[in-house]
Amino acid sequence: MGDLEAEKHVKYILSVEKKKDDFESLVLEHLRMNGAYWGLTTLDLLHKLDAVDPDEVVSWMMECYHQDCGGFGGNIGHDPHLLYTLSAVQILALFDRLDVLDIEKVSDYVAGLLNEDGSFSGDIWGETDTRFSYCAICCLSILHRLDKIDVEKAVSYIVSCKNLDGGFGSIPGGESHAGQIFCCVGALAITGSLHHVDKDLLGWWLCERQCKDGGLNGRPEKLADVCYSWWVLSSLIMIDRVHWIDKDKLTRFILNCQDRENGGISDRPDNAVDVFHTYFGVAGLSLMEYPGLKSIDPAYALPVDVVNRIFFGK
Ligand code: FPP
Ligand code: ZN
């Protein structure tokens, strides 16, 4: 099978983070804050977060911060959005630098995106999606400010996006999709509301995502893709059904997606690597307790030691 090329992946991530001008060719420029979260979390899982200078990252991040509203943009000069605000808060948590934030201001921004029906808008333009429910709930929880929203209302909206197959969609009536399931199950886990999930039914739908090649897909009839090792596996762990998939076959699938020469992991064997799939590959292996990796929390998508620091102090 061959092992995890940990050192090569570290080199690959560092080279992507450094090539600022080139970065957009690998991770779209407007997603830079997400890209930073994927890359830095991967480094931490590989025990190499100390290879980057936290001050440099934090000062770039604060240039993406909008003092007027309290949200973060995806890059300098870009509009604020919940997706980037969560990544920013996660990165600061990784570096143990949440103290640089005006926590009241940021949590007011997030809480202000809650709508009357319990859904969350991603930004002032109003598109709603259960992805944003997750971003808001995860963010407020990390900041210890869940009391700023009506959690029950937010939870009942998520429950209204549950389908007859046990899965969840992006809006009520939206098709079940593993990425969306992660968001809904994650938000329910964080708020202590997993009793709303039919664990056997959802567990069955999720374990059916394993394909003949061992990889996981995101919906029926789709090809396996490394990123679903995260979306599906984290959901299975949160509902306590991870033993329903074949871990050895999935491990082999992920390892076969490595660029063994230059580092990085791709969506499926022999494709071009990117930071997104490198993160989800390493995070998936971490969820399966692959040796030598830090373990990652399936709901917060942060290393377990970071989550413990947030909630139980050092
Ligand atoms: C599928 O993406 C994934 C989703 C719909 C979930 C996205 C979740 C977030 C942005 C929340 C933050 C996540 C973390 C880990 C902290 P896709 O567009 O690739 O789906 P496709 O395979 O159907 O194209
Ligand atoms: Zn993918």
Side-chain angles (χ1 to χ4, degrees), residues 11 38 75 263:
K11 260 200 189 149
W38 299 328
N75 206 340

Side-chain angles (χ1 to χ4, degrees), residues 62-94:
M62 294 319 284
E63 286 195 67
C64 302
Y65 177 63
H66 291 254
Q67 247 174 333
D68 51 335
C69 71
F72 282 84
N75 206 340
I76 299 171
H78 291 222
D79 290 342
H81 196 286
L82 262 183
L83 286 167
Y84 311 120
T85 304
L86 172 62
S87 287
V89 167
Q90 287 172 314
I91 294 168
L92 292 171
L94 278 179

Side-chain angles (χ1 to χ4, degrees), residues 34 37-38 83 86-87 90 129-132 134-135 138 170 177-183 217-219 222-223 225 227-228 230-231 234 268 276-277 279-280 296 298-302:
N34 291 151
Y37 157 74
W38 299 328
L83 286 167
L86 172 62
S87 287
Q90 287 172 314
D129 186 312
T130 45
R131 279 181 304 157
F132 309 145
Y134 169 77
C135 291
C138 186
S170 59
H177 179 294
Q180 242 51 69
I181 292 172
F182 159 78
C183 291
N217 65 16
R219 276 174 289 175
K222 299 267 175 185
L223 286 175
D225 177 329
C227 58
Y228 290 99
W230 169 264
W231 307 120
S234 59
R268 52 188 67 100
F276 181 71
H277 290 92
Y279 163 76
F280 288 111
I296 187 162
Y300 288 95
L302 285 170

Side-chain angles (χ1 to χ4, degrees), residues 114-119 153:
L114 176 65
N115 299 309
E116 204 40 56
D117 64 355
S119 64
K153 197 153 113 175

Side-chain angles (χ1 to χ4, degrees), residues 39-307:
L40 294 167
T41 306
T42 308
L43 287 179
D44 201 14
L45 294 175
L46 294 165
H47 303 278
K48 283 291 180 316
L49 190 61
D50 56 3
V52 292
D53 177 1
D55 291 332
E56 209 179 295
V57 180
V58 172
S59 74
W60 166 75
M61 283 176 62
M62 294 319 284
E63 286 195 67
C64 302
Y65 177 63
H66 291 254
Q67 247 174 333
D68 51 335
C69 71
F72 282 84
N75 206 340
I76 299 171
H78 291 222
D79 290 342
H81 196 286
L82 262 183
L83 286 167
Y84 311 120
T85 304
L86 172 62
S87 287
V89 167
Q90 287 172 314
I91 294 168
L92 292 171
L94 278 179
F95 286 124
D96 198 12
R97 295 291 295 276
L98 286 165
D99 56 294
V100 305
L101 286 182
D102 180 343
I103 290 183
E104 291 313 309
K105 186 103 206 179
V106 176
S107 50
D108 281 339
Y109 167 76
V110 176
L113 291 165
L114 176 65
N115 299 309
E116 204 40 56
D117 64 355
S119 64
F120 275 90
S121 301
D123 62 13
I124 53 163
W125 303 110
E127 183 202 359
T128 65
D129 186 312
T130 45
R131 279 181 304 157
F132 309 145
S133 299
Y134 169 77
C135 291
I137 286 170
C138 186
C139 202
L140 289 174
S141 174
I142 292 172
L143 298 175
H144 304 284
R145 291 295 185 284
L146 267 177
D147 57 322
K148 290 213 169 181
I149 58 162
D150 184 341
V151 171
E152 217 178 301
K153 197 153 113 175
V155 164
S156 57
Y157 179 79
I158 293 170
V159 174
S160 76
C161 298
K162 185 165 75 173
N163 293 318
L164 290 172
D165 58 15
F168 293 83
S170 59
I171 50 170
E175 182 193 9
S176 293
H177 179 294
Q180 242 51 69
I181 292 172
F182 159 78
C183 291
C184 294
V185 172
L188 294 175
I190 290 171
T191 54
S193 318
L194 282 174
H195 55 279
H196 290 293
V197 179
D198 184 335
K199 294 182 181 167
D200 286 335
L201 189 63
L202 177 58
W204 177 248
W205 190 94
L206 288 167
C207 76
E208 288 252 284
R209 305 279 59 78
Q210 188 155 34
C211 304
K212 282 209 182 73
D213 57 12
L216 304 174
N217 65 16
R219 276 174 289 175
E221 314 301 329
K222 299 267 175 185
L223 286 175
D225 177 329
V226 161
C227 58
Y228 290 99
S229 312
W230 169 264
W231 307 120
V232 173
L233 214 49
S234 59
S235 303
L236 280 168
I237 291 175
M238 289 188 274
I239 62 168
D240 213 13
R241 298 292 182 275
V242 73
H243 50 288
W244 288 8
I245 62 138
D246 185 333
K247 283 196 197 181
D248 287 341
K249 275 180 90 174
L250 177 57
T251 301
R252 240 172 288 140
F253 178 82
I254 299 173
L255 293 174
N256 279 335
C257 293
Q258 299 179 100
D259 179 336
R260 292 190 176 276
E261 223 166 285
N262 302 310
I265 299 175
S266 54
D267 57 353
R268 52 188 67 100
D270 302 321
N271 280 358
V273 304
D274 60 66
V275 189
F276 181 71
H277 290 92
T278 305
Y279 163 76
F280 288 111
V282 172
L285 292 171
S286 162
L287 287 174
M288 295 189 285
E289 298 169 321
Y290 192 89
L293 295 176
K294 273 196 184 184
S295 49
I296 187 162
D297 184 278
Y300 288 95
L302 285 170
V304 169
D305 62 338
V306 172
V307 175

